[in-house]
Amino acid sequence: MTATTEHSIPTMSAKDIPQEAFDWYDEYAHGDIDRRTFLSRLGSLSIAGLTLPVVAGALLPNYALAEQVSFNDSDIQASYVTFDTPNGHGQGRGYLVIPKGVDANNKAPTVLVAHENRGLNPYIEDVARRLAKAGFIAFAPDALFPLGGYPGNDDEGRVMQKTLDGAKIEGDFMDAASLLEKHAYGTGKVGMVGFCYGGYLTNTLAANMPNTIAAAAPFYGTPAKAHIEQIKGPLQLHFAELDKRVNATWPAYEEALKKHKVPYTAYVYTNANHGFHNDSTARYQEKNAELAWSRTLEFFTQNLAS
């Protein structure tokens, strides 16, 4: 029997993939090129001993690799709940995970989890479970609920999310934050973490809901478009060194944060690509991902304590 390391890509590792392939995947994942163009570019690479299906398979998500906390872990209780979103699409649905022993008499801080630009996929659900395992009530809304919810694959989810009104998605997540602030088992302290598009949402809610979001941790997210001066809670920002697209937005954002005296800490992870925390693809970097996550948990523990 051959053993494989947890979260590894058995057929190919990141070091085997040219940086151009990661850059093209980022363009594809964010809608700048279509799937055919992405695969055509991959096919143009000369990678000794590796076929196009192997390279593409390493870059595209395999969510069997992304489960760190089982959905039936005895330390958590997970369920799907619907909620009213008057500032968004009218009604939303999300994945709520509560730590064992938390109730109205033994409350816990809450964390809103914002997914990427493709809906509530299994990786983001696992992030919510990881937070609950660490003692936080976690809630991960699905922006695609108005269209029937995450369809089971990222390609279709990405296309679906592009058809939605961005302002209404923001409203859905704002109403989710308000729900957490008033949750019967919550302390009233709300943190937020998001990835990629969810990182943008995290920056946006920190700016638009400064009295609700007590601590925000965007991972490779672009800045809020307005009201940066309103941010009160501290930001902990995580960037990937090789993520040219997002990193190009950081200098102006940092200047605005400094101008308005917003408390923040920014980390840049060496040789990391956009999406390095997502353990379902070859972009995942275990060392950097675990360091960023440990910093995030410590950040929430410090800033969401009652």
Side-chain angles (χ1 to χ4, degrees), residues 21-303:
F22 288 108
D23 294 339
W24 295 334
Y25 178 76
D26 189 62
E27 290 183 63
Y28 164 61
H30 294 92
D32 297 327
I33 58 175
D34 60 21
R35 185 182 180 90
R36 178 178 294 181
T37 302
F38 169 59
L39 293 177
S40 175
R41 288 182 182 180
L42 287 185
S44 71
L45 293 175
S46 176
I47 308 176
L50 295 170
T51 64
L52 172 59
V54 171
V55 180
L59 287 169
L60 298 172
N62 177 356
Y63 288 121
L65 302 172
E67 186 177 82
Q68 294 189 20
V69 179
S70 172
F71 70 92
N72 59 5
D73 189 293
S74 61
D75 290 334
I76 62 173
Q77 181 178 358
S79 61
Y80 294 93
V81 300
T82 57
F83 61 105
D84 292 331
T85 62
N87 294 301
H89 288 93
Q91 191 173 51
R93 184 173 186 263
Y95 187 61
L96 179 67
V97 195
I98 299 176
K100 181 179 179 180
V102 169
D103 55 30
N105 297 314
N106 185 28
K107 299 185 176 185
T110 60
V111 177
L112 183 63
V113 184
H115 60 68
E116 307 124 316
N117 64 338
R118 62 211 70 168
L120 181 60
N121 59 40
Y123 155 64
I124 296 296
E125 290 186 345
D126 195 67
V127 169
R129 292 194 294 269
R130 296 174 207 175
L131 283 161
K133 188 81 170 176
F136 302 94
I137 296 172
F139 188 48
D142 186 357
L144 299 184
F145 177 70
L147 301 177
Y150 176 69
N153 72 83
D154 281 15
D155 279 348
E156 187 177 347
R158 188 180 300 111
V159 172
M160 290 168 64
Q161 190 161 321
K162 285 180 69 174
T163 69
L164 291 171
D165 183 333
K168 288 187 176 181
I169 293 177
E170 292 171 17
D172 290 337
F173 276 80
M174 289 178 187
D175 290 326
S178 296
L179 180 150
L180 283 182
E181 187 177 25
K182 301 170 185 175
H183 195 282
Y185 294 176
T187 61
K189 290 289 188 73
V190 181
M192 186 170 179
V193 62
F195 306 86
C196 185
Y197 176 78
Y200 160 75
L201 286 177
T202 302
N203 284 318
T204 297
L205 264 66
N208 286 276
M209 303 183 76
N211 295 320
T212 299
I213 303 300
F219 277 65
Y220 25 85
T222 53
K225 296 175 182 176
H227 307 306
I228 293 172
E229 74 281 357
Q230 295 184 170
I231 300 174
K232 292 182 179 179
L235 301 179
Q236 185 183 84
L237 306 105
H238 302 275
F239 297 100
E241 182 183 31
L242 303 178
D243 186 1
K244 298 176 183 178
R245 180 182 59 85
V246 171
N247 293 351
T249 69
W250 172 234
Y253 190 26
E254 182 175 35
E255 183 178 350
L257 294 176
K258 289 180 176 179
K259 176 182 177 180
H260 298 296
K261 297 181 171 56
V262 175
Y264 76 92
T265 303
Y267 296 103
V268 179
Y269 296 87
T270 304
N271 294 322
N273 278 288
H274 184 96
F276 71 86
H277 184 266
N278 186 333
D279 47 356
S280 69
T281 80
R283 296 184 299 170
Y284 174 62
Q285 290 189 340
E286 184 174 14
K287 184 177 180 180
N288 279 330
E290 290 187 353
L291 175 58
W293 191 242
S294 66
R295 285 169 168 166
T296 301
L297 293 179
E298 182 180 1
F299 174 68
F300 286 147
T301 297
Q302 290 176 349
N303 291 287

